[in-house]
Amino acid sequence: KDVIPPLEQLMVEKEGYLQKAKIADGGKKLRKNWSTSWIVLSSRKIEFYKESKQQALSNMKTGNKPESVDLCGAHIEWAKEKSSRKNVFQITTLSGNEFLLQSDIDFIILDWFHAIKNAIDRLPKD
Ligand code: I3P
């Protein structure tokens, strides 16, 4: 029988396109590779879709899963020194995954930074 998660966990708080590069997986460094990602923030996780929102919606039928990031115990910080690009911040998960997110547009990256920081601050740390 399906377990229905609490409504607040299903609510999308923010979604949109950003540049994304995953730079570590479980503490292991990865080669940086920037790409555009459709990003969906809800109360305790972020989902990264490789494709456009339209594409992602049609892929749901085929069971194509986005990369999901658990925000419990995660850290967010500006990461000027991690890239030659402007407006870069880093999310580090408890499991040791590291993501850089970037936009050339100042207000877009600021909105995302604060939305994700607020989500993290509202969650238990473990
Ligand atoms: C990387 C690529 C990235 C760049 C990175 C390069 O080269 O140019 O865009 O990061 O710099 O190593 P490659 O494609 O050959 O892996 P930024 O755009 O964030 O600067 P880095 O090694 O200084 O992180």
Side-chain angles (χ1 to χ4, degrees):
K1 213 161 140 213
D2 288 347
V3 177
I4 302 166
L7 206 50
E8 56 132 63
Q9 283 184 28
L10 296 169
M11 302 246 301
V12 170
E13 300 196 355
K14 188 169 174 62
E15 55 185 341
Y17 291 103
L18 287 179
Q19 297 299 309
K20 179 203 118 185
K22 186 173 184 179
I23 58 168
D25 187 279
K28 195 170 168 282
K29 291 285 172 208
L30 298 174
R31 179 166 171 191
K32 191 196 276 169
N33 184 15
W34 287 102
S35 64
T36 303
S37 186
W38 176 254
I39 297 174
V40 179
L41 171 67
S42 50
S43 64
R44 54 171 300 153
K45 67 174 192 289
I46 298 176
E47 289 174 327
F48 294 122
Y49 293 85
K50 287 194 195 74
E51 59 287 84
S52 70
K53 184 182 188 184
Q54 284 309 17
Q55 196 71 52
L57 288 172
S58 71
N59 282 354
M60 278 175 188
K61 297 173 198 129
T62 62
N64 203 335
K65 287 267 163 50
E67 177 159 32
S68 183
V69 175
D70 183 3
L71 291 177
C72 276
H75 286 278
I76 183 169
E77 62 195 346
W78 293 103
K80 251 190 193 347
E81 70 296 342
K82 298 259 176 109
S83 176
S84 61
R85 299 180 175 210
K86 69 173 203 168
N87 297 342
V88 177
F89 65 76
Q90 176 170 334
I91 299 168
T92 307
T93 66
L94 262 189
S95 59
N97 293 345
E98 298 173 10
F99 301 89
L100 299 181
L101 294 175
Q102 189 265 344
S103 168
D104 285 338
I105 303 166
D106 297 357
F107 80 85
I108 289 182
I109 203 71
L110 277 171
D111 279 0
W112 273 103
F113 183 88
H114 290 118
I116 296 170
K117 192 176 181 342
N118 286 339
I120 290 173
D121 289 347
R122 274 189 254 116
L123 289 168
K125 299 291 167 247
D126 48 25

